Amino acid sequence: MTRPFVQDPERPPGVFVTNKSALANSIRAPPCSCHDCQVGFYLTAEQYDPGLSYRSRLSDADARRLVESSTRQIHETREYLAQRLKSHADLLMSRWRKQSLAKRQALLTEVAPDLETSPWINIRFSYMPERKLIDRRSQKRRRQLLAPWLSVDVLKANPAVLYALLHYRVTYPPQDWAAFDCRQLTLSWASGRFDVDFSDKCVVMYGPRYGSLVSWEETPAHRADILGFPRARLVLEAQEFIMTTLRSIVDKLLDGVDNSLPARTEKWLELTANAGFKRTGEVEFWSPYTNQAFSAPPRLDIDYLISLAKTRLDATGDHLWDLQWDPVYMRRYMKVHLQKTIYKVSDENTIAKQFAQETFLEIVGHYWWRWIEMECSNVAEVHRRFRDNIHPGYPLPTRYDRAVGALELILVNQVIFRSKMLYDSLPFSPGFSHHFTLSHAELPSGYMKLERKTPNNTAEGLEDDPLDWCLLQLLGEPDKQTHFDHAMLFAFLHDHLSHCSFKERARLDEVLYKNLSDLSTCHEMLVAVRLSRPQNKARYIDEVIVSDDRDRDAWKRMRQAKENPDPGANLEGLGGFGKGLIENFYAKPPSGQKNAEWMRRSKAARAALDTFWDSMREVVKRYFAKSPFTKADIDGLLEIISANQTSAYLDAVRSEEDKILAEIESNAAEPMLRQLNLTESVPKVRSEAKSRRKKIKSRPESGSIQPAATADVPDPTLDAETNSETRPILATERSLHMISYMFPQTAEESTKTVGWDEFVHAICDVGFTARSNGGSAVLFENIYGGKIVFHKPHPIAKIDSVMLRSMGKRMAKWFGWRRDKFVLADGSADTLSKEAMSGTTPSEICEQT
């Protein structure tokens, strides 16, 4: 059997013809047509496309010979590289690091001539006429598409990239990489970019039998223990190309080395013992999500997924708390949002309603992080019970399989939800609004027509405006194989922003950046679940909402959406109290000298802010009314937007007003100020909000899983006296400066801005590591447990005074930080002991309370 399509001599290149008989004879039905088996075989209907037709049919003997040859070559090369690194790793590092960019490029071009020069071949090839020319395919292009993340420019730009690639490909066996390497082929496989040979056999993708040819069986095929030969051969071919390329590079770098010399690996061992790798000029370790090829192979680390959800839950919760608590923070938030073009062309009622809706979506987004964390915790709990029964090559325990399937379903819907939020924001962002038109023509009052006026998914769109192109591609459905992978797009985005001008970076505003961070985190979690082996069975919403899983909060919300897909009636009134906030709070901030008039305006503004949140609580109540959520559930959801009902809030307002009065009096203010009723602007406590975080036990119960995200952190309601007996935290001089700006005591300190890199270095000096976490998010992890996410400022990497104080509040809340807890270390940071650097560990604080 050979491919039945031939180029039509009378038509342009890329137009093929066939005859019905030859085409019918070429069709090879897959052993199964389900979604899982589409990964390894083309469906019958797909083979009528010239690009998706099989090139030839192989005998079992030929298929076995091919996969065994590739597998043997992969293992032998891996062992060879391990021995070379064991003896000469330090020398290899030194020689590669000392070479100029030009010499690195020359070396790579010489030893690996099939390497693509420029990155993003998957993206660029999608717009090349060559993609249609199935009769002119070359072995060189095939290899470039087999490992689309590998290129000369990527390897030469930073020495750490080659070190990381060598380390992880040698440390981990090829079966650990199989799921990732297979995923990298998805776009080219689905788009018909490879010459593919058919065999109805499968290849084992796990354990010692990795690479063995076997017959298709339904159960192991559906849990991805075996993969159809057509796709599996490509995976093995990709791994062989990667390993032989690395061998060629290593041999060239170590050419002429004296093998009798003693082994030198101290620097290599020190480098690979770190928490990750960094690019030149960057402070944080790179993200495994956008740099998976240069990180450890993916695995389902449920503790890590919980930590992602938990840190986002904490970050969004603190954000909502500050919006209620801190008028300055709220004004900053409103200023950022009101810069959107929709606010410049809308009437005041539409503006008010739009802003209130965006704030409501922030609240719902926070709830979803809470529900995602619950789903992850459910998987962790079930995993703990059945972990001894989870092994490659065996069926997953039913309860664990169903728990993972439910989590996957929630995550894929969250990716769609976050993409929708990005879609809603993009046309109105000042940096991208020129691509759209917005008009009121022939539409009822309050409605506007939005249209895209420039093409995007074209070679010209990619070339002329790569930032706009990338953001539009991120709106694609995550399950469509011919769409660009989100992880690749986020890597493309990071690369573009790292090399473009300040003006270009400035187009991506704070609102978009936050949406991108949420989207990348959801997709990272989804990919982690989908690359897990053994693979879980796919589940569907209609099935889950009638199963035993239906009573968890995430599925209560899914049931609500199913029963009431249009909750718009529950959102009535948003415009009214949004207008009151803009008119009475945002437009009338207290200003000028602090006197009686200043105090009056301050009280009026805070009253307007309280009214807004009182009204928002009523909207949330209505939104979840007549839903599967119980009254207790709804009360729990309302806690995060009930800051002005807590005694802590009332005490803070009184304290602040006392402080301002004292300042006025010290400046010889009018005597009448002494008669002000300090409490008239403070509402009575209607219901004391419960603590937003349960007290965590300092020691886990026997056999319980302690995920990284639920590291013991101080309760936000702890007062200063609680930690008065803890030892001080030793800090470097730059850290002390940073701490003074986060907890200011003078007017000068309260107006300081600092560079992002300076902030990261200061935090790391006192016992944290930093890792890029997608979009603008950076994850800071304490060496003794506990994590927190901060967003890197954009486009200028400087933190303003408002955000610095907010960061200080968050560190005080979760890690017990106070200004007076830090003391200057005697000497450099290198002299600090682990105990001193960590200060008071979260578990100590919980024990003392």
Side-chain angles (χ1 to χ4, degrees), residues 612-810:
F612 174 81
W613 287 105
D614 289 342
S615 302
M616 187 62 78
R617 279 193 296 277
E618 293 303 315
V619 169
V620 172
K621 285 181 183 178
R622 290 200 306 271
Y623 186 78
F624 290 105
K626 299 180 181 180
S627 74
F629 289 94
T630 66
K631 183 180 184 302
D633 292 335
I634 297 174
D635 289 344
L637 294 174
L638 291 174
E639 288 176 11
I640 195 63
I641 52 173
S642 300
N644 66 343
Q645 292 188 324
T646 65
S647 60
Y649 174 82
L650 300 176
D651 291 343
V653 172
R654 293 189 184 98
S655 175
E656 180 67 18
E657 291 184 347
D658 284 343
K659 182 179 178 181
I660 293 172
L661 282 176
E663 181 180 342
I664 293 173
E665 290 177 352
S666 67
N667 293 326
E670 296 89 349
M672 63 175 291
L673 283 173
R674 298 189 182 93
Q675 306 302 320
L676 284 174
N677 180 0
L678 300 184
T679 62
E680 66 179 4
S681 68
V682 182
K684 295 182 179 180
V685 180
R686 290 182 288 274
S687 64
E688 184 66 33
K690 301 176 183 177
S691 171
R692 287 193 286 154
R693 184 193 289 268
K694 294 181 179 179
K695 179 178 176 181
I696 301 172
K697 297 179 181 179
S698 59
R699 294 178 179 84
E701 297 178 1
S702 177
S704 67
I705 290 179
Q706 292 296 309
T710 56
D712 303 324
V713 293
D715 189 284
T717 60
L718 293 179
D719 57 31
E721 294 180 1
T722 304
N723 302 318
S724 60
E725 299 300 320
T726 60
R727 59 179 174 271
I729 303 176
L730 301 184
T732 60
E733 186 172 353
R734 67 180 172 188
S735 294
L736 285 180
H737 283 302
M738 184 64 60
I739 299 302
S740 69
Y741 304 150
M742 296 172 76
F743 302 93
Q745 291 182 343
T746 67
E748 181 181 2
E749 289 175 346
S750 64
T751 58
K752 285 286 187 179
T753 62
V754 299
W756 171 256
D757 287 355
E758 181 184 354
F759 171 80
V760 175
H761 281 303
I763 297 297
C764 291
D765 283 350
V766 291
F768 284 78
T769 60
R771 182 188 296 278
S772 179
N773 207 218
S776 62
V778 176
L779 179 69
F780 293 85
E781 182 172 4
N782 187 271
I783 59 176
Y784 281 112
K787 300 180 182 182
I788 191 167
V789 163
F790 290 121
H791 288 272
K792 184 176 181 178
H794 180 85
I796 302 175
K798 287 188 176 295
I799 310 171
D800 63 43
S801 57
V802 176
M803 294 308 298
L804 265 178
R805 291 196 297 274
S806 175
M807 289 170 165
K809 292 176 185 177
R810 297 191 65 209

Side-chain angles (χ1 to χ4, degrees), residues 318-572:
D318 293 343
H319 169 64
L320 290 173
W321 207 255
D322 282 342
L323 289 179
Q324 303 164 73
W325 194 291
D326 188 345
V328 176
Y329 187 92
M330 181 58 156
R331 287 193 183 92
R332 181 187 183 279
Y333 170 80
M334 295 180 71
K335 180 180 179 180
V336 170
H337 277 259
L338 293 175
Q339 290 175 349
K340 293 181 179 180
T341 54
I342 190 172
Y343 293 113
K344 298 178 181 179
V345 298
S346 303
D347 58 55
E348 58 182 16
N349 292 327
T350 303
I351 291 173
K353 183 176 181 180
Q354 178 70 20
F355 175 78
Q357 286 177 336
E358 290 181 6
T359 306
F360 176 79
L361 286 176
E362 294 252 21
I363 298 169
V364 174
H366 170 79
Y367 292 156
W368 269 114
W369 287 122
R370 171 175 172 167
W371 299 331
I372 291 172
E373 185 209 8
M374 290 178 178
E375 287 297 299
C376 291
S377 297
N378 177 62
V379 174
E381 180 183 352
V382 179
H383 179 272
R384 181 172 65 247
R385 295 182 60 186
F386 296 100
R387 59 188 172 191
D388 293 338
N389 299 317
I390 300 173
H391 304 287
Y394 293 89
L396 291 172
T398 302
R399 286 195 58 186
Y400 180 71
D401 190 9
R402 293 173 64 83
V404 176
L407 173 61
E408 178 190 12
L409 198 51
I410 289 294
L411 291 173
V412 72
N413 278 276
Q414 272 299 291
V415 171
I416 295 171
F417 170 68
R418 303 291 177 174
S419 296
K420 175 67 164 53
M421 293 186 69
L422 178 62
Y423 172 81
D424 290 340
S425 296
L426 187 61
F428 309 115
S429 175
F432 302 91
S433 58
H434 61 282
H435 288 296
F436 300 86
T437 57
L438 193 63
S439 66
H440 298 271
E442 302 178 359
L443 292 173
S445 176
Y447 289 85
M448 289 180 285
K449 185 177 182 180
L450 178 68
E451 290 182 310
R452 173 97 190 183
K453 63 181 181 181
T454 57
N456 174 268
N457 192 20
T458 62
E460 293 74 22
L462 173 63
E463 179 68 25
D464 297 341
D465 195 344
L467 184 55
D468 172 72
W469 176 90
C470 182
L471 296 187
L472 262 292
Q473 299 303 318
L474 281 168
L475 303 179
E477 298 175 17
D479 283 334
K480 194 163 184 179
Q481 294 188 28
T482 52
H483 285 172
F484 294 110
D485 179 59
H486 282 63
M488 180 188 69
L489 291 171
F490 277 113
F492 177 90
L493 178 63
H494 181 274
D495 181 68
H496 177 70
L497 294 176
S498 299
H499 297 94
C500 68
S501 66
F502 168 78
K503 183 178 180 180
E504 175 76 351
R505 289 197 302 273
R507 295 173 61 198
L508 200 59
D509 59 52
E510 190 173 312
V511 177
L512 283 179
Y513 223 163
K514 179 186 176 300
N515 289 338
L516 290 169
S517 296
D518 290 339
L519 175 59
S520 69
T521 301
C522 289
H523 192 262
E524 178 180 2
M525 298 176 76
L526 175 63
V527 170
V529 171
R530 289 187 164 174
L531 293 184
S532 175
R533 299 294 183 266
Q535 181 177 271
N536 62 281
K537 295 178 182 177
R539 299 188 70 183
Y540 301 92
I541 292 177
D542 289 343
E543 174 262 320
V544 179
I545 61 177
V546 296
S547 70
D548 293 340
D549 301 299
R550 67 197 306 268
D551 292 327
R552 291 197 302 275
D553 283 6
W555 291 102
K556 289 179 181 179
R557 175 66 189 102
M558 297 295 277
R559 287 161 55 194
Q560 180 190 16
K562 191 77 173 176
E563 296 164 2
N564 181 21
D566 183 17
N570 295 327
L571 301 181
E572 293 180 359

